[in-house]
Structure formats: C-alpha cells, structure tokens
Amino acid sequence: MVETDDESGASHGSVRNVVLVVLDTARATRFEGVAGDGIPSRFASIDDRTMPTLADAGMEGTVFERAFSTAPWTLPSHASLFTGTYPSEHGAHGGHTYLDDSLRTLPEAFAAAGYETVGVSNNTWITSEFGFDRGFDELRRGWQYVQSDVDMGTVVRGEDVAEKLSAARDRLLEGNPVVNAANVLYSEFLQPAGDDGAARTTDWIGDWLAGREDDRPFFLFCNYIEPHVEYDPPRAFAERYLPDDATIEEARGIRQDPRGYDVGDYEITDREFDLLRGLYRAECAYVDSQLERLRESLRAAGEWEESLVVVCGDHGEHVGDHGFFGHQYNLYDTLTHVPLVVTGGPFTGGGRREDLVSLLDLPATLPAVAGIEDPLAEQGHGRSLLASGERDAVFAEYVSPQPSIERLEDRFGEEAIPERVRAFDRRLRAVRTGGEKYVAGDDGFERYHDLTEDPREREDLAEERPARAGALAARLEERFGGLTEAEASGSVSMAASTEDRLADLGYL
C-alpha cells in the first residue's frame, strides 16, 4: 500500500546504520511561552535557542517543517511509526492496548535483513508488555538500573517516607527482591536530579557503541520521555527558561495532573501555565543535551558518517492550549504536529522542506534508504520521503479515549465527571491539507478550520462553510472507509507496577 514512484528508494543511495530517536511529547506547533534570559516568548522545538543540537542536525540534514503524527498519544503513534498503518488498523489504542501481532514491524524488517536491532524505551507503553519487542534483539527499559519486568517507580515517586515504605512493601518481593532493591537505590540516590531515564539511556548506548564487536550494521531505536508530564527538568535548565520573577520551587509546586484538570478537580492559573511552559521548554532543552551526547557517541564509534539518523516527536502537548493540559481527547495540530529531522545519506544538505509528511512515511523510507526490500513497504500507507511530488493531505485518528470515562469515574467519582468530558467518549478522525483542517467524530461532532486565516484552530467554520467541510468529510471517508480494522489480538495483561507507572504518566 506504500506510495512510491520511479525516483524513490535505492536510487538515492544507501547508508549502513539507521538510528531512530523519538522525543516523546515534543510538539512542533508554537505556543506563547515565557521570557527568561532574553529568550523570545514564542517557542518552536527546532529552535537553536532551546534545542541547538536538533537545530544543528537540521542544518546538516533535512528539516520537515510540516510533519504530522497519526495519533495524539504514545501507544498508537508508535504503533503507526513501526507498522505504517493507522491506529484502527494496527489495533494499539485506548480500546485495545496491544500491537496487532499479525503486522510486520520496522525492527522486524531490519532484523530480517541481518541487522543487529537494539531499542531503549523510557515510556512504559513501548515495551514487551504491549507487543513492541518484536524484531528487537534487545529492547531495554531505559529508566531501570537493572532490567526487570517489575517497575519500582511507586517507591521512588512516593511523596514522603511513609508512602515510600508502603510502596516498597507492595513491590519489593514481586519478582527478584535484589534487582528491585538495586533499581530503588539507583533511582533514589544515583540517578541525576530532574532526569527520567535520559542520562542512563545515553550512557548505555554510548557504552554499547564503544564495546560493539558485531560486524553487522545496526538499527537503533531510542525513546526519550523527558518532555512528558511531569515536567521536572534539572535545576540548571529550569532556571534558564522560567520567567525572571519565578523560582524553581514555585514552578515545581504546581500540581501536574492533566486528568484532574480535565474534570475540574483543580484549576491552573495563567501564571501557573506560564511556569509550566517554562518547565516544558527546559525539558526539551535537557533532552537536546542528551541528543548531543548521543551524537558524540556515534562519532566516537566511527558510526555517525555511516548512519541515517532520524529524530522526531511522537505527538505534541497541550500546556493550556484550547483549554487542555496533556495530550488526550482531540486532534488539534498542537497534538499532531511534530518535529522531524533526518540526517545522513540522501538527506544530507536537504534544507527545510514545507511539504506535508506523516510519520507513516518513515517505515516506507528507512529500509529503502538502507537498501532493504521488505514486505513492510507494501503493508502501510506511507510514501517515501524521497519520492517526487507531494502529499496533499495527512490524516490522524483518536480511536477511543485513554483513560476511559469509566476509569475517570473510578478515580474521581461518577458525579464528578462533567458533561464536557463525557462528550470526549468518541472516535475522532482528522484530515489536514496545506490550508484546511476537518475533524469528525462518530457521534456527529465536526470542526472545520481555514488554516490560512486561523492557524491556531480557534474558530470552527463548519456551519459557515458546509461545502468545504463536506468535501473534507468525503476525504475522510475515502481514506478510512475501506480500511480493515484490527481485531483484538495478543495478551493485554499489565503488571501492577506497569499500571502504577502509566497512572503517574496520566494515562490511567
């Protein structure tokens, strides 16, 4: 199903290794930020003031200014990135949290071609529990000192000694007590402050590269989660991006509970959102410093010049935008517009491209640039990033809410869930062209935006321009009407510690 032409693929040359780095929750759409140290208040992720390493990689390679995810949160977005299919097809979404095991994945394509395949994930969704280990020789949990199926995060994240001791009693004897104790000691006393696995991930990758004796080329996947809630960057980065009249203690004292904010359990003031945006920018700057370390490790190992390196976001984030906090319930560009920078091989010196691209295009591009022919290319809906011509539209889906309304009721009480939030219990699909955006729900909901006049999607014109809305509704039907939806497959049995970590990330 991949869209190709005579000018795509191997005719542009090949590279030896492929490195895919996902900056979890990194948005590309600008927001009104804060001014600290003279930094302009308008923030873009590919900005040499906030992410100089990523900006420098863009100068060396190719920046895709209008890259879009297929979904607004981690699980379905990564599944699309790995398979080239839409969320309703690959089956990994809020209604079924396991990647359809009948689909071929990007790591499987490289493994079949003889590559060493290694991944390091710092997001709990992208682990073996949810079907993402297929094709990897090794898929590590980056936040752990010793690899284990038991996550001791509830101990580390306890608010006081009593909470930590209670969590330790519940978790320490689950699995290997020695390994569990080692992970707690590392997180409590050795892990860098303000770090959620990035430093250890980069250290491990550097050691792995330096010690490799395998002559095979490699496919390396890495997920950095620092821009995700909770925003808790190292002090030096926070000081740089908070307003001059703010303290780190004030910023860190703000409750960061997106689902609680959604249901009205508490409020966030404009001042507090300004501080949260500063912390978010600081997280992006910190993860950029890890990108610099990763690049230096590749250079030290003599692999940088022989590698195709892709850095992208998996979805964006709302920090007060459209009345939301987090990344659920809708398909605004703030959630689907992501950074995408590619360096190496045929992307060297490619400049800044303004054409529409989708993360679905990466499975159609990466194996081909490496000279690999694989059935993955026929499975997805992507088109090679090297193909001539341009997309006229990109599409996204939100199959079902995560967390579900039932989970919100369990947490906050049935009477506490406002009708505004109950209305989000629906499927959403979106089509975005160069100048228009249309979103439709399976409950009759629709929005139409003229992006040339309203790039921030503030004014719904569906009733005023029914002809344009109808034309784009037809595009949605054309795109999704004939797709075969995935049936539930694989096991979805979460360990209690996994549920705890996902709850801390705001998903449950």
Side-chain angles (χ1 to χ4, degrees), residues 231 242 251 254-256 268 271-281 319 325:
Y231 316 139
L242 287 172
I254 300 169
R255 179 181 172 186
Q256 296 187 41
I268 301 177
R271 161 76 173 182
E272 288 171 332
F273 268 129
D274 272 346
L275 269 59
L276 289 175
R277 292 181 191 113
L279 292 179
Y280 177 83
R281 294 175 68 192
V319 193
F325 180 30

Side-chain angles (χ1 to χ4, degrees), residues 272-313:
E272 288 171 332
F273 268 129
D274 272 346
L275 269 59
L276 289 175
R277 292 181 191 113
L279 292 179
Y280 177 83
R281 294 175 68 192
E283 291 282 29
C284 290
Y286 175 62
V287 81
D288 185 78
S289 72
Q290 299 299 323
L291 287 178
E292 171 61 19
R293 294 182 59 220
L294 177 60
R295 180 171 64 177
E296 290 308 308
S297 293
L298 286 165
R299 284 175 172 162
E303 302 288 5
W304 176 260
E305 298 296 332
E306 295 191 10
S307 298
L308 182 75
V309 180
V310 180
V311 182
C312 66

Side-chain angles (χ1 to χ4, degrees), residues 174-297:
E174 185 179 337
N176 187 321
V178 176
V179 169
N180 293 341
N183 282 328
V184 169
L185 290 173
Y186 169 75
S187 297
E188 285 284 354
F189 302 109
L190 300 176
Q191 183 167 307
D195 179 274
D196 201 13
R200 179 157 183 78
T201 293
T202 311
D203 287 345
W204 186 88
I205 292 174
D207 291 343
W208 171 73
L209 287 168
R212 281 188 84 233
E213 297 179 353
D214 197 322
D215 291 332
R216 293 178 295 167
F218 61 79
F219 170 74
L220 170 64
F221 165 76
C222 173
N223 170 292
Y224 288 117
I225 200 173
E226 268 60 25
H228 199 291
V229 164
E230 289 185 0
Y231 316 139
D232 184 25
R235 176 175 288 269
F237 288 87
E239 288 175 341
R240 193 185 313 167
Y241 294 99
L242 287 172
D244 293 335
D245 64 346
T247 66
I248 296 175
E249 289 70 28
E250 179 188 6
R252 287 178 172 168
I254 300 169
R255 179 181 172 186
Q256 296 187 41
D257 181 359
R259 303 294 77 80
Y261 177 76
D262 288 340
V263 303
D265 193 53
Y266 77 111
E267 295 183 354
I268 301 177
T269 66
D270 290 343
R271 161 76 173 182
E272 288 171 332
F273 268 129
D274 272 346
L275 269 59
L276 289 175
R277 292 181 191 113
L279 292 179
Y280 177 83
R281 294 175 68 192
E283 291 282 29
C284 290
Y286 175 62
V287 81
D288 185 78
S289 72
Q290 299 299 323
L291 287 178
E292 171 61 19
R293 294 182 59 220
L294 177 60
R295 180 171 64 177
E296 290 308 308
S297 293

Side-chain angles (χ1 to χ4, degrees), residues 401-423:
Q402 178 67 31
S404 67
I405 300 302
E406 289 75 18
R407 279 190 176 271
L408 292 179
E409 290 175 343
D410 289 343
R411 179 182 171 191
F412 298 102
E414 185 174 348
E415 300 300 321
I417 312 303
E419 288 304 315
R420 170 180 175 269
V421 173
R422 291 188 181 279

